[in-house]
Amino acid sequence: MTQSTQPISPLRQRMIDDMRMRKLSPKTQTGYIRAVKRFTGFLGRAPDTANAEDLRRYQLHLVAQGMSSGCLNATITGLKFFFETTLGHPEVMTKMSHVYEPRKLPVILSLEEVTRLLQAAGGPKYQAALGVAYGAGLRANEIVHLTASDIDSQRMVIRVEQGKGKRDRYAMLSPTLLALLRAWWRHAHLHRQLLSGGWLFPGQNPVNPLSTRQLNRAFHFACKAAEIDKAVSLHSLRHAFATHLLEHHEDIRVIQVLLGHKKLENTAHYSQVAAKLLREVKGPLEYLEIRPPN
């Protein structure tokens, strides 16, 4: 029995080549292709025959379907690449526009809640991985792609290769985090769970890294075991890292470097949720001598 494969159209291949030329990540390429494919299904004909009014109708259709602002903007970005870069027709996008996405303040875990969560993690592997999320402020994808050689205990730093934005950086390595990592290292070697030169947090097959989905599952398991009922995610540990550093009066520019933020304004966002800093501010009412009514 032979397996049939659907040939790639010349137009799609050209778009793929355009994305490869610019070294877009596989995830980005998949998203862009999906955006064009869905638009083609709506249009009912080849996408390169679309005009500005067709794209305007499509955006109205997506809004009517209840698509979130983030997904809508991602779709527009994918279509923008297709029409402007692959087809060379930027005028077709004139009636499509990105929408404003409200920025919400993150929910912050307290020091006591983070302590309970890490203690409730399922074993040394997940305790160490979640410890890296909080103790170094790393993103999920950065954590699962760490290798043992990225842990520099002499300089007390963690090397993060090709983080968000394809940038390398160094993250902090505290003595407590190093102790968690060493506990996992001893446990893993005792049970032969690590490959020489392999991933620091391997998956079920040690050839592959732990998936971000597995790490997210471990986080929510720990939350439930620690009886934390806040609306939080794995990324909340990164939020807590930045907020707690700010509350302990660490320099905001240092925190920016540790987080790998390109813009300081992204880091300054945490000053709005640093409760300790807000409590320390003396409000203008305190300078007045006002007696409450009897």
Side-chain angles (χ1 to χ4, degrees), residues 36-266:
V36 177
K37 184 177 179 180
R38 288 176 176 172
F39 172 65
T40 304
F42 167 83
L43 190 63
R45 61 180 194 272
D48 56 341
T49 65
N51 56 40
E53 189 59 32
D54 291 325
L55 286 161
R56 180 180 181 275
R57 287 192 303 107
Y58 185 53
Q59 182 163 351
L60 286 171
H61 167 74
L62 296 178
V63 172
Q65 292 293 312
M67 178 176 280
S68 68
S69 299
C71 290
L72 181 57
N73 286 336
T75 298
I76 293 172
T77 301
L79 292 173
K80 182 180 176 70
F81 183 92
F82 174 71
F83 285 102
E84 293 188 358
T85 303
T86 300
L87 295 183
H89 295 311
E91 71 281 356
V92 181
M93 292 296 297
T94 54
K95 292 187 179 180
M96 238 191 177
S97 59
H98 288 86
V99 299
Y100 172 73
E101 190 172 4
R103 188 166 189 176
K104 297 181 180 179
L105 291 176
V107 176
I108 303 299
L109 293 165
S110 68
L111 287 169
E112 188 269 339
E113 286 171 330
V114 174
T115 302
R116 279 167 32 213
L117 188 148
L118 292 179
Q119 289 178 339
K125 177 180 180 178
Y126 290 116
Q127 188 177 57
L130 295 177
V132 172
Y134 173 71
L138 266 61
R139 302 175 179 90
N141 195 56
E142 295 169 345
I143 295 169
V144 299
H145 286 101
L146 287 175
T147 63
S149 60
D150 293 326
I151 310 301
D152 189 341
S153 59
Q154 296 296 318
R155 299 176 60 213
M156 293 301 287
V157 293
I158 299 174
R159 178 177 173 81
V160 181
E161 292 192 1
Q162 298 296 286
K164 188 175 181 180
K166 296 183 179 180
R167 295 189 298 269
D168 293 349
R169 76 178 191 279
Y170 284 104
M172 63 183 293
L173 176 62
S174 67
T176 301
L177 178 55
L178 181 59
L180 291 177
L181 290 170
R182 282 177 170 167
W184 157 239
W185 178 264
R186 290 191 296 268
H187 175 89
H189 273 279
L190 183 64
H191 294 85
R192 298 181 179 179
Q193 295 176 341
L194 290 180
L195 296 178
S196 178
W199 305 108
L200 181 58
F201 301 112
Q204 292 182 343
N205 183 343
V207 173
N208 302 318
L210 182 73
S211 69
T212 55
R213 184 177 180 180
Q214 288 173 303
L215 188 55
N216 270 289
R217 207 159 33 220
F219 169 83
H220 288 291
F221 173 84
C223 271
K224 185 176 181 180
E227 298 182 347
I228 297 172
D229 57 2
K230 289 182 176 179
V232 290
S233 65
L234 175 59
H235 204 73
S236 298
L237 290 175
R238 177 174 161 88
H239 291 321
F241 164 82
T243 304
H244 294 167
L245 282 180
L246 200 58
E247 289 180 338
H248 284 85
H249 304 285
E250 294 295 339
D251 190 288
I252 194 168
R253 293 192 179 275
V254 174
I255 299 173
Q256 177 192 2
V257 172
L258 293 174
L259 289 172
H261 282 167
K262 193 173 182 179
K263 298 180 180 178
L264 182 61
E265 63 188 62
N266 293 333

Side-chain angles (χ1 to χ4, degrees), residues 282-288:
K282 189 174 182 180
L285 198 61
E286 304 306 310
Y287 295 99
L288 306 180

